[in-house]
Amino acid sequence: LQDAGYEHYEVSSYAKVGSRCTHNQVYWNGRQGWYGFGMSATSFTGHGRRLARPRKMRDYEAYVEAMLPFKGETMTCANATKLSSETRADALLERLMLGLRKRDGVDLMHLQEDFGAAVLVEIITAVCASWPEELVEMDDKRLTLSDPDGMLVSTELISTLLARVSSLHIP
């Protein structure tokens, strides 16, 4: 596909250069919020807060009925139900798992801003100790999996990283 002008921009996605699916980028990048509507939909505020709507029809109907008093008001996280805060470990796990699926990888500067220098050092140490050099590309800005070799074994590499980074272990 690459010889035909397609870029391998995510583990399971190819596109013509400049034609990536922008919809999925919002989820994979992990710093921008999104709103989901309807049964089983989730929303993410971009500040570590997630709203999940009911998955079963009867529960969803009750959820909608409970919202009727808000008619004419702006729906916010403050008046939504089933709001929960992700733990720091959950947010880091999601950032790494989704970021490493992309050819652009994980932005190390954003990772340090959001989780601290100690977490960044822990991740870099784990990568250097456990991932073969030919499967990873890393500089002072990004951590990515090589294409195609690293991307072909991404699940194994990400699992190894998750096992070795203590900041990902929820107390």
Side-chain angles (χ1 to χ4, degrees):
L1 286 172
Q2 289 173 329
D3 291 341
Y6 289 84
E7 67 171 326
H8 191 187
Y9 72 95
E10 193 266 340
V11 168
S12 61
S13 302
Y14 286 82
K16 288 280 189 183
V17 174
S19 297
R20 293 178 177 187
C21 175
T22 54
H23 171 81
N24 289 339
Q25 300 292 320
V26 173
Y27 309 118
W28 295 330
N29 291 334
R31 290 188 95 204
Q32 181 180 352
W34 69 81
Y35 292 102
F37 300 95
M39 193 166 72
S40 298
T42 61
S43 299
F44 178 67
T45 66
H47 302 288
R49 298 185 66 86
R50 187 176 303 278
L51 168 67
R53 282 152 188 93
R55 295 183 181 276
K56 295 182 180 176
M57 182 56 88
R58 287 182 193 206
D59 295 339
Y60 182 71
E61 288 171 346
Y63 169 82
V64 171
E65 286 293 321
M67 287 177 47
L68 290 179
F70 296 115
K71 194 172 185 177
E73 293 181 31
T74 301
M75 185 63 176
T76 66
C77 289
N79 62 17
T81 60
K82 291 197 175 184
L83 187 64
S84 65
S85 243
E86 286 186 336
T87 65
R88 181 178 157 93
D90 287 339
L92 178 59
L93 171 68
E94 186 168 284
R95 180 81 59 87
L96 290 170
M97 277 190 346
L98 295 176
L100 289 170
R101 288 183 57 87
K102 304 177 305 165
R103 183 67 184 117
D104 294 340
V106 176
D107 183 312
L108 297 177
M109 291 187 287
H110 286 161
L111 206 62
Q112 182 171 333
E113 284 174 21
D114 297 343
F115 299 99
V119 170
L120 181 60
V121 168
E122 187 181 5
I123 290 166
I124 291 171
T125 301
V127 166
C128 292
S130 59
W131 288 7
E133 275 185 42
E134 65 275 7
L135 301 180
V136 64
E137 298 170 10
M138 184 168 45
D139 58 27
D140 57 344
K141 295 180 182 176
R142 297 205 165 274
L143 168 63
T144 64
L145 302 179
S146 64
D147 183 22
D149 297 336
M151 287 185 143
L152 289 173
V153 292
S154 62
T155 301
E156 182 180 339
L157 293 174
I158 294 167
S159 296
T160 301
L161 180 63
L162 301 182
R164 293 180 180 247
V165 175
S166 63
S167 295
L168 292 169
H169 304 160
I170 300 170

